[in-house]
Amino acid sequence: MSAAARRPVVIIGAGPVGVTAALLLARHGVPSLVLERHRDVYPLPRAVVVDDEVHRILQSVGVHEEFAALARSARGLRLLDARHRVIAEFTRSRHGHHGFPQTSMFDQPDLERLLREALARRPECELQGGVEVVSVTQDTDGTAPVRVTFRRDGSDEDEHVWADAVLGCDGAGSLTRDAIGAVWEDLHFEESWRVIDIRTSRPVRTWEGVDQICCPTQPATFMRLGEDRYRWEFRLPAAVHLDGPDGRERLRELVAPWMDAPSGAAGADDFEVIRQAQYTFRARLADRWRRGRVFLLGDAAHLTPPFIGQGLCAGLRDARNLTWKLARVLQQGADDGLLDTYERERKPHARHVIRLAVAVGWAMTGGQDRGAALRRAVVGAACRVPGVTAAVSRDLSPALTAGPLVRRRPGLIGRGLTGTFCPQPWVIVDGRRIRLDDVLADSFALLTAVPPTPQMTAVATALDAATIHVDDLDDDGTLTAWLARGRADAALLRPDRVVMDTVPAGTGRFPDPTAWASLLHTVRRTTQARPDPLPRSTAP
């Protein structure tokens, strides 16, 4: 690569978040260069859970079918006491709001290989491994282009590439985070845990979901990863060794509540430790996620304790939220202010998920005093209240707060549909049974249960949005019922399937036409003449 090379987007880090960001940009026609210090996928499992929203993101990059073939759906999460009695159970459906199982278990290396294979099929994407980024610099006013300096394996010579935007997907020790002057906000959780992955042919007692053992002296997490693969996580000091004869005996004691004792000497070693690693689980949030055209995604922006399985999910949500906006700015000349909505929308959600994970962590490990016992009792009592467990499960992905891309209806009690995701049912189009997103493609879309009025049509035209009548989709009534529950005749969807605005039932119009002027200025080509596309009359 020459010293003068320039790319629209440079992505630092080829983990799941970085590669997914590259694939999403490619769908919008934006080329990218991905720089990764390792030459191959890290071979050991780390993340093991995604939800149906993230499975939908995998659909958008074209790997959902391959992923479904290697993943297993799980029944949900249970909180158990020290004697393995159920305190609370958060069940998950095999068919969630987004059209996929609400919880899928997998091995991260398998997912990473799928993503890299997809990347190799996209001419817009280039991955260079064995490359260490040493600096990211831009003008003091934060304007593009950004200079990325790197070195190849075995070389002490600096090389440079210029980028219109840089995505820092470089993990907890992010160089990119330092480059934009971001610092961690400590959300007050830090514990050292041992993660152990085991393959065994012995019978293992499992409910096909995740167990969290709420015990101050020996908290633990357990889940099944595959036909004969399991993961245990224990809060253990780094000085505790599980290798050698003594360590193996200690390991058998730790997993004994889930496994019957081996029969005879021949069964003593019939399980294989695939790996064990010591991790410090932390709860942290970067104080800023952007400077100019440099952005933080994934663990570079937030660290989530693993107790609700949302760490990787949060990073892939970052990629989905940012990439369509960045593509619109780089390719269609949209206002740079559109990029301000990335942190504004994603940071509150990340904070919410981290706090929820910390709450579960404290329910599991919150000390040995009387207060800890009381906290666990309160958790158990609260989770027995009808509807509480369902509400907690739903709240893993709360609605986006109001902003330039999320319109709230004046006078509406509650949120309505704005800021939430459109469901994804199977639909039939031209005799083919396909998923809704395959119909909507990557653009704005107006889903309507009524004939579109002139104002609705004008809004759709201004955004180049496809107008789709739900009755034409033959979707078993899911979309009609969803609009009815939200008291809406139509919903305007963003490219990431978030509801931007709705037409209240019986009105035939979006409620605040004047608000669309700033929105259209933000999302449309800035050099384009803008005659007012909205009828001045408030009549349908």
Side-chain angles (χ1 to χ4, degrees), residues 222-528:
F222 165 72
M223 66 198 77
R224 181 180 177 183
L225 301 181
E227 289 303 315
D228 60 350
R229 296 185 61 178
Y230 306 87
R231 170 172 290 186
W232 281 270
E233 298 172 359
F234 299 99
R235 188 178 64 183
L236 295 173
V240 174
H241 297 288
L242 300 178
D243 299 316
D246 292 342
R248 181 56 65 92
E249 183 60 32
R250 173 64 173 145
L251 178 56
R252 281 197 289 266
E253 293 173 0
L254 288 170
V255 303
W258 292 271
M259 301 177 67
D260 295 328
S263 55
D269 292 313
D270 60 354
F271 66 91
E272 170 194 0
V273 178
I274 301 172
R275 72 132 188 186
Q276 59 170 304
Q278 193 82 12
Y279 288 99
T280 300
F281 297 155
R282 294 184 173 93
R284 292 181 175 178
L285 194 65
D287 66 337
R288 62 187 303 173
W289 293 22
R290 175 195 180 194
R291 178 176 175 267
R293 289 289 184 85
V294 181
F295 303 85
L296 303 181
L297 295 82
D299 286 354
H302 41 75
L303 296 177
T304 307
F307 305 117
I308 57 174
Q310 286 291 303
L312 177 60
C313 294
L316 296 184
R317 289 188 179 102
D318 295 343
R320 180 63 160 161
N321 185 285
L322 175 61
T323 50
W324 74 267
K325 301 170 183 176
L326 185 58
R328 206 160 183 96
V329 170
L330 295 180
Q331 285 206 317
Q332 301 182 33
D335 192 287
D336 207 65
L338 179 62
L339 302 176
D340 293 334
T341 65
Y342 165 59
E343 180 177 342
R344 178 172 178 171
E345 292 182 345
R346 285 293 306 135
K347 191 173 184 178
H349 179 274
R351 184 184 298 275
H352 170 86
V353 169
I354 293 170
R355 285 177 169 168
L356 188 59
V358 168
V360 173
W362 276 110
M364 294 172 62
T365 69
Q368 302 184 43
D369 56 5
R370 292 182 179 179
L374 177 61
R375 284 191 292 273
R376 285 187 288 276
V378 169
V379 168
C383 290
R384 284 189 287 271
V385 175
V388 168
T389 54
V392 171
S393 295
R394 285 195 307 270
D395 216 24
L396 288 177
S397 189
L400 296 182
T401 55
L405 300 176
V406 176
R407 300 292 180 193
R408 291 289 167 79
R409 299 216 303 261
L412 178 68
I413 299 175
R415 295 184 183 277
L417 299 180
T418 56
T420 69
F421 281 93
C422 170
Q424 182 180 210
W426 287 96
V427 300
I428 298 177
V429 176
D430 297 330
R432 295 187 304 127
R433 185 173 183 264
I434 58 177
R435 297 182 186 274
L436 176 64
D437 286 359
D438 295 329
V439 178
L440 302 181
D442 296 306
S443 63
F444 290 89
L446 178 68
L447 285 181
T448 178
V450 300
T453 63
Q455 192 233 31
M456 293 161 60
T457 300
V459 169
T461 300
L463 290 170
D464 296 323
T467 299
I468 300 173
H469 199 292
V470 296
D471 287 347
D472 296 334
L473 294 174
D474 194 8
D475 70 335
D476 76 10
T478 296
L479 294 172
T480 299
W482 170 69
L483 289 169
R485 286 194 301 272
R487 301 190 293 281
D489 281 341
L492 185 65
L493 309 182
R494 307 181 338 181
D496 57 4
R497 309 302 171 239
V498 171
V499 178
M500 178 185 299
D501 202 353
T502 60
V503 173
T507 66
R509 58 184 293 277
F510 292 101
D512 186 11
T514 59
W516 285 94
S518 61
L519 172 67
L520 295 178
H521 176 77
T522 299
V523 301
R524 293 198 311 184
R525 190 181 302 275
T526 56
T527 57
Q528 176 181 323

Side-chain angles (χ1 to χ4, degrees), residues 46-58:
R46 288 155 289 160
V48 293
V49 178
V50 296
D51 59 23
D52 56 325
E53 180 186 337
V54 170
H55 204 153
R56 189 174 186 175
I57 297 172
L58 298 179

